[in-house]
Amino acid sequence: MTEAEKLYATLKPVQEARGYEFNADTTLVMELLEGLLFNKRRYGYMSCPCRLASGDRGRDRDIVCPCAYREQDVREYGSCYCGLYVSRQWNEGKIPRLYVPERRPVQETG
């Protein structure tokens, strides 16, 4: 079992208990989980692979997976920004699959 598959098996029951599902596109899910694991090795925490992390956990706390924006994204769009976490209705094709806009404020550099 790969590291991403182990992470999947660990997160799946925890997130389902909270009302979230993984995207039914398992190829996408595994790529995103690999990105989370890469960021964990790189920064020491699993920042969203779809966003640019600073390497400062304090500055990035809003994008540590699951990010601070997931709940509102899934509630409004059925999917989080990167598409890792979705609602059951989204997975079943019962709601439109709309573009999820970036909610994270622009960060100053430097």
Side-chain angles (χ1 to χ4, degrees):
M1 185 179 282
T2 68
E3 198 175 355
E5 290 168 334
K6 288 177 188 174
L7 182 59
Y8 180 92
T10 299
L11 294 177
K12 187 176 187 326
V14 174
Q15 298 307 317
E16 285 181 350
R18 294 183 174 136
Y20 299 99
E21 294 186 3
F22 279 124
N23 192 317
D25 181 345
T26 55
T27 300
L28 173 67
V29 169
M30 288 301 153
E31 288 173 0
L32 292 168
L33 293 177
E34 288 288 347
L36 287 171
L37 291 165
F38 177 83
N39 285 344
K40 184 176 182 181
R41 288 188 297 275
R42 182 184 214 186
Y43 301 120
Y45 53 93
M46 290 193 297
S47 64
C48 178
C50 297
R51 294 179 165 106
L52 184 60
S54 69
D56 178 329
R57 188 182 185 112
R59 286 183 66 194
D60 293 340
R61 69 181 173 275
D62 63 325
I63 61 167
V64 173
C65 190
C67 75
Y69 313 104
R70 175 184 71 167
E71 183 179 341
Q72 188 174 359
D73 286 350
V74 174
R75 185 174 51 247
E76 289 182 31
Y77 297 97
S79 170
C80 68
Y81 179 70
C82 67
L84 179 63
Y85 292 109
V86 300
S87 68
R88 173 165 288 151
Q89 295 79 15
W90 191 94
N91 256 346
E92 292 175 350
K94 293 180 179 177
I95 60 173
R97 294 186 177 182
L98 304 173
Y99 171 78
V100 179
E102 173 64 274
R103 292 181 193 274
R104 189 176 200 213
V106 175
Q107 301 288 315
E108 290 186 34
T109 58

